[in-house]
């Protein structure tokens, strides 16, 4: 049967269903006023018409109130705005559930980028041996972070899950009940979650999505490419940050870190227990039944009666399963062998740790902590540090740090940060004793600026009586300046005998993390992405020179402004001068639920990452290398974009604009994450302390998406005006890296809507600043369409464009209300005696409006 094009499948299975179910939804009475749902479409139409007429959000809301709310008081207007927000939040949920239900229909699950595609290309190109060899050493690691961009509380996530299933089955009665339940379920939290709460929320995805999906993928490869031979390599690995990420989060304590690790272990043992119980019903034959029953009993006790005690080791568990396997093969005609193999694969992938708990802290905290530690030793044990340690040159400090050993007691320190940092190092050893080495074996230094940052962290382990730590120390390079000097920093470390010995104990592997989010905030879209690409090439070269296998861990957010977008295309585009034997990425917020929230979407996106690795390293090996001329063009483009972005960032109105005209200060009031929205506690806004999420998210709420494009138009325009357009056109046509970069920027532009804030152009203080943003938007859009040969943005991704269009249409009333409230707050603050109570009400409207807008974008922060 003929398969409909993707856009037609979207229209049929997403758009049509949304229109049907939404018509049911808006007739449901959630409150004492039954006509809220009927008024919302009218308000939406007025918003649409109003912006086309270049009306302001205030004019639009006032016109609606005058026409449909007879003699409306300010109280009446506020009441209807809150009710509209309630409906729109839930319309977004409905659309999410419909898209999730239609995912395997809209997306070709067996097409390009799938494991089946890998299998067919392997056979067609006769590359069986190369692919097997590659997969025996390749890893995909998705690291779930606690970054606060997911606004759905647990109860709502449960409804989405049930609603998705009901929509798949076209069960109208159940859909209606779930929509009614949705209308009465709170979307906001009265209190911020603590890091353990965040961990529990994300472990749901491990248990219900990643566990099965990862196992099935490896099982498929084992049967179809490895021809039944076991894959010893844990091809798919999971990482975890909630409970271990201490950077800027004072609420992560040692107890929470240890409790999260214990919860991860209990969760994976529970998964094994459930699977063993199912196997027990099948493996009922002689010689096997008692072995299975014994495993069931030991797992049950470890999960439900343990209090931290484990009644079976990982080695014993594997040995027993393999014993059962051999008996089945030798005596029972391999009956149910497939089921047993599926469990063995998962045990090999997840051990007793499920996901590796990464510990992370900022280098600036380390500087303070290490100074405290040195001061302590100078007062209490003069044999550890020389008196003049702080005056020594870097090379001399290296010499001291290379020969340290002690048994530091954290309780001797009054400074809480020092105590907690030392405890976090010690907690790694505790976790490894119970969950195995993979339970926690990575320590990340964010904002890493020097080789000394790494050496002092390495010394922390030696000072806590851990001579040869089974831990990878991972520097995170974030700013443009640090990215440019990263290879020099690593060379100093590779040349240090003590650190080189440590690497030898770690199989000569060095993981290096690169921060797309803060890189973009620091240097703009083009410079950040190109700086990371160049840093990877330089780090690969220096690591190969010293015989080190470098592994890149990319700190990516959801949107293109934070390294998101078409991620798999990015990895497939890397040339031979960038090490790519592992793909490691952070996944957070809405990206977890949208890209990995269901079995289908998780499988699709994980398979795409595996396929990207195979494509880059086997099928297209040696290709995608940028020529020196192409690199020169990219260098020039990045410099031009950087210059434009810096002049913008240094504009005197930059910080005031974010503070006064955006939703930046409201992020801290949403109670969605345990981390503060900025690193310092100062009242004034310091750009350096501002986190990337509220920074990018605030531009997204304004529908301006500055970090995803600013400077790109100026850079391209230079080549147009100097009659060198053919150079950038050839680069776009020939480089998948550059093409992916521009396509992701097009997504940022497609989610922008400048009529919303066009009123700002008349603002006495910020009018000129708004115009700078808008002019760059128009130039970027014009030139991206020119280089792509398109008439509209995302023309080559019609289903993605259609999804964005529907979502933007749903939230149009919401962002109109948000801007109206911001205008009212500014208006009230200018009065001689501001009405503080009324200001608080409008501030609550702004805060509430963040939820639906962010959720609708699915990758806005």
């Amino acid at each position: 049967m003929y398969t409909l094009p993707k856009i037609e499948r979207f229209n049929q299975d997403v758009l049509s269903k949304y229109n049907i179910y939404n018509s049911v939804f808006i007739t449901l009475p959630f409150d004492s006023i039954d006509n809220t749902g009927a008024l919302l479409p009218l308000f939406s139409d007025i918003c649409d018409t109003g912006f086309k007429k270049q009306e302001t959000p205030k004019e639009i809301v006032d016109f609606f109130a005058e026409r449909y709310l007879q003699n409306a008081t300010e109280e009446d207007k506020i009441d209807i705005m809150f009710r509209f927000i309630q409906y729109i939040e839930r319309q977004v949920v409905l659309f999410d559930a419909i898209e999730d239900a239609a995912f395997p229909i809209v997306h070709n699950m067996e097409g390009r980028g799938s494991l089946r595609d890998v299998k067919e290309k392997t056979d067609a190109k006769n590359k069986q041996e190369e692919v097997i060899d590659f997969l025996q050493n390749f890893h995909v690691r998705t690291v779930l972070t606690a970054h606060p961009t997911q606004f759905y509380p647990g109860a709502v996530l449960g409804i989405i899950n049930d609603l998705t299933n009901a929509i798949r089955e076209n069960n109208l009665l159940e859909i209606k009940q779930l929509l009614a339940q949705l209308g009465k379920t709170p979307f906001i939290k009265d209190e911020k979650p603590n890091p353990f709460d965040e961990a529990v929320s994300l472990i749901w995805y491990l248990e219900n999505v990643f566990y099965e999906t990862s196992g099935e993928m490896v099982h498929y490869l084992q049967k179809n490419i490895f021809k039944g031979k076991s894959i010893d390599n844990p091809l798919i690995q999971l990482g975890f940050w909630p409970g271990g990420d201490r950077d800027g989060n004072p609420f992560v304590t040692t107890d929470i870190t240890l409790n999260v690790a214990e919860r991860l272990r209990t969760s994976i043992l529970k998964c094994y227990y459930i699977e063993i119980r199912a196997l027990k019903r099948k493996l009922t034959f002689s010689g096997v039944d008692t072995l299975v029953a014994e495993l069931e009993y030991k797992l049950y006790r470890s999960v439900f009666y343990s209090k931290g005690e484990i009644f079976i080791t990982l080695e014993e568990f594997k040995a027993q399963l393999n014993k059962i396997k051999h008996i089945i093969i030798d005596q029972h005609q391999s009956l149910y062998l497939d089921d047993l193999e599926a469990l063995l694969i998962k045990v090999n992938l997840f051990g007793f740790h499920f996901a590796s708990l990464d510990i992370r802290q900022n280098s600036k905290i380390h500087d303070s902590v290490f100074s405290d530690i040195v001061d302590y030793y100078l007062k209490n044990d003069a044999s550890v540090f020389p008196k003049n340690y702080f005056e020594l040159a870097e090379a001399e400090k290296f010499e001291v740090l290379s020969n340290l050993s002690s048994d530091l007691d954290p309780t001797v320190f009054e400074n809480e940060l020092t105590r907690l940092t030392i405890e976090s190092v010690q907690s790694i050893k505790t976790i490894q004793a119970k969950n195995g080495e993979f339970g926690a074996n990575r320590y990340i230094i964010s904002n890493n600026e020097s080789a000394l940052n790494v050496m002092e962290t390495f010394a922390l382990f030696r000072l806590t009586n851990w001579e040869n730590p089974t831990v990878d120390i991972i520097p995170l390079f974030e700013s443009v300046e640090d990215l440019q000097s990263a290879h020099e920093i690593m060379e100093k470390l590779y040349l240090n005998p003590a650190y080189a010995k440590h690497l030898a104990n770690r199989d000569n592997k060095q993981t290096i993390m690169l921060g797309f989010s803060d890189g973009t905030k620091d240097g703009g879209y083009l410079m950040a992405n190109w700086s990371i690409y160049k840093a990877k090439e330089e780090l690969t070269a220096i690591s190969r020179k010293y015989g080190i296998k470098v592994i890149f861990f990319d700190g990516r957010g959801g949107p293109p402004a934070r390294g998101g977008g078409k991620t798999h295309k990015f990895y497939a585009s890397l040339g031979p001068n960038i090490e790519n034997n592992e793909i490691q990425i952070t996944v957070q917020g809405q990206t977890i639920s949208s890209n990995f929230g269901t079995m289908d979407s998780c499988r699709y996106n994980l398979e795409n990452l595996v396929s990207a690795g195979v494509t880059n390293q086997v099928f297209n090996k040696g290709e995608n290398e940028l020529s020196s001329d192409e690199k020169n063009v990219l260098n020039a483009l990045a410099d031009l974009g950087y210059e434009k972005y810096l002049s913008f960032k240094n504009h005197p109105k930059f910080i005031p604009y974010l503070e006064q005209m955006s939703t930046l200060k409201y992020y801290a009031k949403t109670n969605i994450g345990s981390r503060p929205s900025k690193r310092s506690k100062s009242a004034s806004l310091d750009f350096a302390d501002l986190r990337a999420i509220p920074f990018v998210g605030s531009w997204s709420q304004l529908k301006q998406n500055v970090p995803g494009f600013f400077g790109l138009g100026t850079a391209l325009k230079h080549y147009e005006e100097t009659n060198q357009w053919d150079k950038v056109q050839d680069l776009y046509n020939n480089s998948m890296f550059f093409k992916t970069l521009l396509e992701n920027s097009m997504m940022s532009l497609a989610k922008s809507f400048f009529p919303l804030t066009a009123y700002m152009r008349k603002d006495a203080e910020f009018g000129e600043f708004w115009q700078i943003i808008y002019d760059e938007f128009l130039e970027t859009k014009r030139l991206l369409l020119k280089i792509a040969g398109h008439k509209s943005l995302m023309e080559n991704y019609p289903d993605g464009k259609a999804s964005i269009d529907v979502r933007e249409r749903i939230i149009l009333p919401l962002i109109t209300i948000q801007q109206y409230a911001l205008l009212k707050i500014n208006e009230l603050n200018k009065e001689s005696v501001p009405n503080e109570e009324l200001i608080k009400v409008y501030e609550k409207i702004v805060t509430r409006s963040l939820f639906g807008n962010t959720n609708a974008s699915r990758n806005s922060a």
Side-chain angles (χ1 to χ4, degrees), residues 45-313:
D45 287 342
I46 285 173
C47 291
D48 186 43
T49 306
F51 286 122
K52 284 173 182 171
K53 291 180 182 176
Q54 299 184 337
E55 292 175 353
T56 70
K58 189 173 186 308
E59 289 169 338
I60 289 168
V61 172
D62 287 345
F63 175 76
F64 170 79
E66 189 181 323
R67 173 170 279 197
Y68 293 106
L69 305 176
Q70 294 177 355
N71 303 316
T73 62
E74 187 143 31
E75 239 179 72
D76 294 333
K77 284 159 75 173
I78 288 168
D79 185 58
I80 196 70
M81 283 191 281
F82 273 119
R83 294 183 189 283
F84 281 164
I85 289 170
Q86 179 191 30
Y87 266 80
I88 294 163
E89 285 172 343
R90 287 151 179 81
Q91 283 179 316
V92 172
V93 169
L94 174 60
F95 191 75
D96 280 350
I98 291 169
E99 272 207 318
D100 287 345
F103 193 94
I105 300 168
V106 175
H107 297 81
N108 186 353
M109 301 294 288
E110 306 295 335
R112 184 184 301 174
S114 68
L115 292 187
R116 179 176 174 177
D117 181 47
V118 170
K119 164 75 169 69
E120 289 174 354
K121 282 180 180 170
T122 300
D123 293 341
K125 295 174 182 281
N126 197 25
K127 295 264 187 183
Q128 288 86 353
E129 285 186 21
E130 292 98 317
V131 170
I132 287 171
D133 184 57
F134 173 74
L135 292 174
Q136 281 285 29
N137 298 285
F138 178 68
H139 300 114
V140 166
R141 184 189 291 249
T142 51
V143 181
L144 307 190
T145 77
H147 294 341
T149 61
Q150 176 55 271
F151 283 78
Y152 293 142
V156 174
L157 285 171
I159 295 170
I160 293 175
N161 191 55
D162 294 341
L163 191 55
T164 300
N165 293 329
I167 290 166
R168 274 204 189 104
E169 296 164 7
N170 283 317
N171 188 333
L172 190 57
L173 179 62
E174 189 177 355
I175 290 167
K176 196 171 179 179
Q177 286 180 324
L178 286 165
L179 290 175
Q181 180 188 351
L182 189 65
K184 294 178 178 292
T185 301
F187 267 52
I188 56 172
K189 300 169 183 175
D190 294 329
E191 296 179 1
K192 279 181 176 286
N194 66 43
F196 185 75
D197 297 330
E198 291 172 329
V200 170
S201 295
L202 291 190
I203 287 171
W204 185 92
Y205 291 99
L206 299 185
E207 292 178 346
N208 293 282
V209 183
F210 282 95
Y211 179 77
E212 285 296 335
T213 305
S214 304
E216 285 173 5
M217 283 173 60
V218 176
H219 205 180
Y220 176 90
L221 291 170
Q222 199 165 286
K223 290 168 73 174
N224 293 283
I225 291 181
F226 284 70
K227 306 301 180 188
K229 184 185 173 187
S230 295
I231 302 176
D232 299 325
N233 172 43
L235 179 67
I236 297 167
Q237 300 175 338
L238 303 175
F240 207 74
W241 276 15
D245 183 8
R246 294 168 181 263
D247 180 14
N249 193 338
F251 307 109
V252 177
T253 65
T254 308
D255 283 345
I256 281 179
T257 300
L258 294 172
N259 287 338
V260 169
E262 185 166 326
R263 182 62 173 256
L264 284 165
R265 185 186 69 248
T266 304
S267 294
I268 190 60
L269 291 176
K270 184 173 72 176
C271 290
Y272 295 154
Y273 168 71
I274 291 167
E275 203 154 345
I276 279 288
R277 282 199 69 184
L279 273 171
K280 188 182 175 188
R281 293 174 65 89
K282 296 177 179 180
L283 303 179
T284 54
F285 13 94
S286 176
V288 172
D289 53 348
T290 53
L291 296 176
V292 175
E294 185 184 348
L295 284 180
E296 181 197 25
Y297 173 70
K298 288 182 177 179
L299 287 171
Y300 181 82
R301 290 195 69 189
S302 299
V303 172
F304 298 105
Y305 285 100
S306 68
K307 291 184 181 177
E309 193 177 350
I310 306 164
F311 294 88
I312 185 170
T313 66

Side-chain angles (χ1 to χ4, degrees), residues 283-295 320-329 331-332 340:
L283 303 179
T284 54
F285 13 94
S286 176
V288 172
D289 53 348
T290 53
L291 296 176
V292 175
E294 185 184 348
L295 284 180
Q320 189 93 314
L321 289 174
N322 278 305
K323 185 177 179 182
I324 293 167
K325 176 182 173 180
H326 290 306
I327 295 172
I328 289 172
I329 293 169
Q331 299 177 27
H332 302 289
L340 186 64

Side-chain angles (χ1 to χ4, degrees), residues 151 656-670 677 685 690 693-703 756 760 814-815 817-819 821-822 825 842-843 845-851 853-854:
F151 283 78
Y657 183 82
L658 280 173
E659 284 187 304
Q660 296 175 45
M661 306 302 278
S662 84
T663 59
L664 181 65
K665 63 185 177 185
Y666 298 95
Y667 267 82
K669 302 176 182 180
T670 54
S677 59
L685 177 60
L690 181 60
I693 286 169
F695 175 72
V696 173
S698 295
W699 291 112
S700 173
Q701 293 286 333
L702 283 168
K703 291 296 165 189
L756 176 72
M760 292 182 189
L814 185 70
I815 56 177
I817 289 169
Q818 182 184 94
Q819 283 299 316
L822 287 168
I825 291 165
Y842 280 112
E843 285 182 336
I845 287 176
V846 174
T847 305
R848 281 297 308 276
S849 68
L850 295 174
F851 290 55
N853 192 3
T854 299

Side-chain angles (χ1 to χ4, degrees), residues 335-548:
L335 194 57
Y336 296 123
L337 180 62
D338 238 23
D339 300 79
L340 186 64
E341 284 281 13
L343 176 56
L344 273 164
I345 285 167
K346 290 166 192 158
V347 174
N348 187 48
L349 291 178
F350 306 125
F352 276 11
H353 62 279
F354 213 160
S356 297
L357 184 62
D358 290 347
I359 308 297
R360 184 171 79 132
Q361 185 53 281
N362 195 288
S363 66
K364 288 181 169 56
I365 300 297
H366 280 176
D367 290 342
S368 167
V369 166
F370 210 77
S371 292
D372 206 9
I373 290 171
V374 174
D375 286 339
Y376 166 79
Y377 276 114
L378 292 180
K379 291 172 186 172
N380 297 282
D381 186 351
S383 66
V384 180
F385 285 94
K387 288 183 180 179
N388 64 338
Y389 176 79
F390 293 116
E391 286 75 51
L392 296 177
E394 185 180 68
E396 293 170 316
K397 285 181 177 177
F398 272 30
E399 186 64 29
V400 173
L401 296 170
S402 298
N403 298 293
L404 289 177
S405 65
S406 187
D407 193 1
L408 199 55
D409 179 3
T411 61
V412 301
F413 293 93
E414 291 181 15
N415 186 305
E416 187 183 28
L417 265 178
T418 303
R419 181 173 52 77
L420 285 173
T421 303
I422 296 167
E423 285 180 359
S424 70
V425 169
Q426 294 176 332
S427 70
I428 294 176
K429 192 185 279 190
T430 305
I431 293 167
Q432 287 189 5
K434 290 195 170 185
N435 294 20
E437 185 191 313
F438 288 106
N441 67 343
R442 290 151 49 105
Y443 195 105
I444 300 162
I445 312 162
S446 53
N447 194 36
N448 194 94
E449 296 175 329
S450 68
L452 190 63
N453 289 151
V454 178
M455 284 301 294
E456 288 184 342
T457 304
F458 176 55
L460 273 177
F461 286 88
R462 306 279 289 273
L463 287 170
T464 54
N465 197 26
W466 203 350
E467 183 66 25
N468 295 307
T470 48
V471 178
D472 297 322
I473 297 167
I474 304 174
L476 165 52
F477 299 106
E478 299 179 84
S479 72
V480 170
E481 188 181 342
D482 292 338
L483 286 164
Q484 289 170 347
S485 60
H487 64 291
E488 295 168 355
I489 289 171
M490 294 315 300
E491 183 169 28
K492 289 179 184 176
L493 294 167
Y494 294 156
L495 286 169
N496 179 266
Y499 194 77
K501 183 185 174 188
H502 167 68
L503 287 179
N505 292 335
R506 304 299 296 155
D507 196 26
N508 276 326
K509 288 183 178 179
Q510 172 67 58
T511 302
I512 298 171
M513 191 173 178
L514 304 157
F516 283 80
S517 306
D518 284 282
T520 304
K521 173 177 155 269
D522 179 54
Y525 183 69
L526 261 179
M527 180 57 87
N529 281 276
W530 181 232
S531 294
I532 287 171
Y533 188 97
K534 286 196 298 182
K536 284 187 174 184
E537 283 200 328
E538 290 164 337
L539 287 164
T540 298
I542 205 72
S543 299
R544 287 173 179 172
K545 177 181 174 181
Y546 292 100
I548 304 299

Side-chain angles (χ1 to χ4, degrees), residues 713 716-717 720 779-787:
L716 291 172
K717 188 179 180 181
E720 183 185 52
E779 276 302 277
T780 307
K781 180 180 177 181
R782 178 179 72 82
L783 292 167
L784 285 181
L785 291 176
K786 178 179 177 178
I787 204 168

